[in-house]
Amino acid sequence: MDSIFQHFRKEEQQFIEQVSGWMNEVEDRYTPKLTDFLDPRERFIVQSVLGSNDIRMDSLGLFPDAERQRVLLYPSYYEPTAEDFQITVFELKYPVKFVTLRHPDILGSLMSVGLDRSKFGDIRIDGERIQFAVADEVSLYLKTNFVSAAKVKVQLLEVEDVAEMITATEEWHDESHTVSSMRLDTVMSSVYNISRQKASALIHGGKVKVNWTVQEQPSFELHESDMVSSRGFGRIKVLMVEGRTKKDKIRLQIGRLEQRK
């Protein structure tokens, strides 16, 4: 386990131990283990912990190119199906003429019914259409208790046809940046073209996530493949650390997300 820990940040060790527990469960019972919804970083950790182990891994979020997906760990004899992932997609019916609902409105309302974020997958919005994925085990509870969002009444209708599910559209552009350090506030300042003070204020305000987790330390050191999202400024990814300039600055390749529905 120590050899795995050295490749990840200290704050990720607890999740690594949880993954190890899942693996032991599959090995001891010789049956599949289904997780809650995991973000891409968490799925990467699961894959890394599995390594060349005989336990197999599949994931599904039902939406095409889903960001958040449930993971199934299973013995080599098992052949998983889509039904094994136990996911329901709902479409939200609401008075579209009187209100415009945004992603934070939906997520906040879902969380307010007392369920953990891990029970929800992607939330997709395309104009007035809103859909989201949930774990089957909470779908009936949601249909009963999720009755309003942003102070308007809502109704949940199950979406069974994959062709009717909203498709996300993403367009990434590569950029080159030169920074004095890999501190979170320093990189944000360069990429978003804001002052370090502004970047620090966003971070301290809980408006910045690194690898889908809120990060409130401006001095947090970024690494290659880290995903950064800042409310109001969009999402970026550290693609490559290319080396240093003659003045000992760090050259970075950054991916910037231009659009996502």
Side-chain angles (χ1 to χ4, degrees):
M1 186 64 73
D2 289 342
S3 61
I4 291 290
F5 283 161
Q6 67 182 353
H7 297 292
F8 295 94
R9 295 187 172 102
K10 186 175 181 180
E11 60 266 23
E12 294 173 325
Q13 292 184 3
Q14 184 176 355
F15 181 69
I16 293 171
E17 291 172 347
Q18 186 177 18
V19 174
S20 180
W22 294 338
M23 290 173 56
N24 291 336
E25 197 173 325
V26 175
E27 289 177 336
D28 293 344
R29 299 182 180 179
Y30 209 51
T31 56
K33 168 68 178 178
L34 179 65
T35 74
D36 287 336
F37 287 94
L38 305 182
D39 63 43
R41 177 65 178 180
E42 290 170 326
R43 296 199 301 276
F44 172 75
I45 292 174
V46 174
Q47 188 70 68
S48 300
V49 175
L50 282 181
S52 58
N53 196 289
D54 196 39
I55 297 174
R56 308 289 172 82
M57 166 189 170
D58 271 341
S59 63
L60 187 72
L62 271 195
F63 285 114
D65 301 315
E67 182 173 275
R68 297 177 60 80
Q69 302 181 20
R70 299 191 84 172
V71 167
L72 189 74
L73 301 175
Y74 57 94
S76 56
Y77 78 87
Y78 193 80
E79 296 184 3
T81 65
E83 287 72 26
D84 288 321
F85 293 89
Q86 301 175 29
I87 301 171
T88 300
V89 170
F90 285 122
E91 181 146 350
L92 206 64
K93 294 300 179 183
Y94 64 101
V96 296
K97 292 183 179 180
F98 304 107
V99 66
T100 299
L101 294 176
R102 300 170 300 114
H103 191 286
D105 298 323
I106 306 304
L107 180 57
S109 298
L110 286 170
M111 299 289 285
S112 70
V113 300
L115 295 176
D116 190 82
R117 178 67 179 98
S118 63
K119 295 298 181 183
F120 309 118
D122 283 12
I123 299 171
R124 296 278 175 94
I125 300 178
D126 183 11
E128 296 173 347
R129 295 181 67 207
I130 299 173
Q131 297 175 350
F132 55 86
V134 303
D136 278 358
E137 60 265 27
V138 301
S139 61
L140 182 60
Y141 176 86
L142 270 181
K143 289 192 79 168
T144 304
N145 294 278
F146 185 50
V147 294
S148 66
K151 298 181 180 180
V152 298
K153 290 185 177 181
V154 300
Q155 182 183 3
L156 300 183
L157 299 179
E158 188 172 342
V159 181
E160 297 183 353
D161 186 352
V162 175
E164 295 297 318
M165 295 179 188
I166 297 172
T167 300
T169 57
E170 291 187 345
E171 188 175 348
W172 289 83
H173 293 289
D174 292 355
E175 300 176 354
S176 296
H177 289 268
T178 303
V179 296
S180 59
S181 78
M182 292 299 291
R183 283 174 54 114
L184 177 58
D185 58 350
T186 301
V187 174
M188 285 179 57
S189 174
S190 176
V191 177
Y192 295 136
N193 195 25
I194 58 177
S195 68
R196 278 185 61 182
Q197 290 78 8
K198 172 70 173 177
S200 294
L202 290 168
I203 296 165
H204 284 307
K207 296 181 179 180
V208 178
K209 292 183 179 180
V210 177
N211 297 328
W212 297 271
T213 300
V214 173
Q215 177 54 248
E216 297 183 345
Q217 296 299 321
S219 60
F220 183 85
E221 288 280 321
L222 293 174
H223 299 155
E224 283 187 354
S225 81
D226 279 346
M227 185 79 75
V228 179
S229 60
S230 180
R231 200 177 307 167
F233 289 88
R235 186 180 295 192
I236 61 171
K237 185 174 184 178
V238 181
L239 299 177
M240 185 184 300
V241 178
E242 294 186 321
R244 291 184 178 270
T245 67
K246 292 180 179 179
K247 294 185 177 181
D248 207 31
K249 301 282 188 178
I250 302 170
R251 293 195 304 269
L252 294 180
Q253 278 293 323
I254 296 290
R256 187 197 290 266
L257 181 62
E258 294 298 328
Q259 180 181 8
R260 184 185 177 105
K261 287 185 180 180

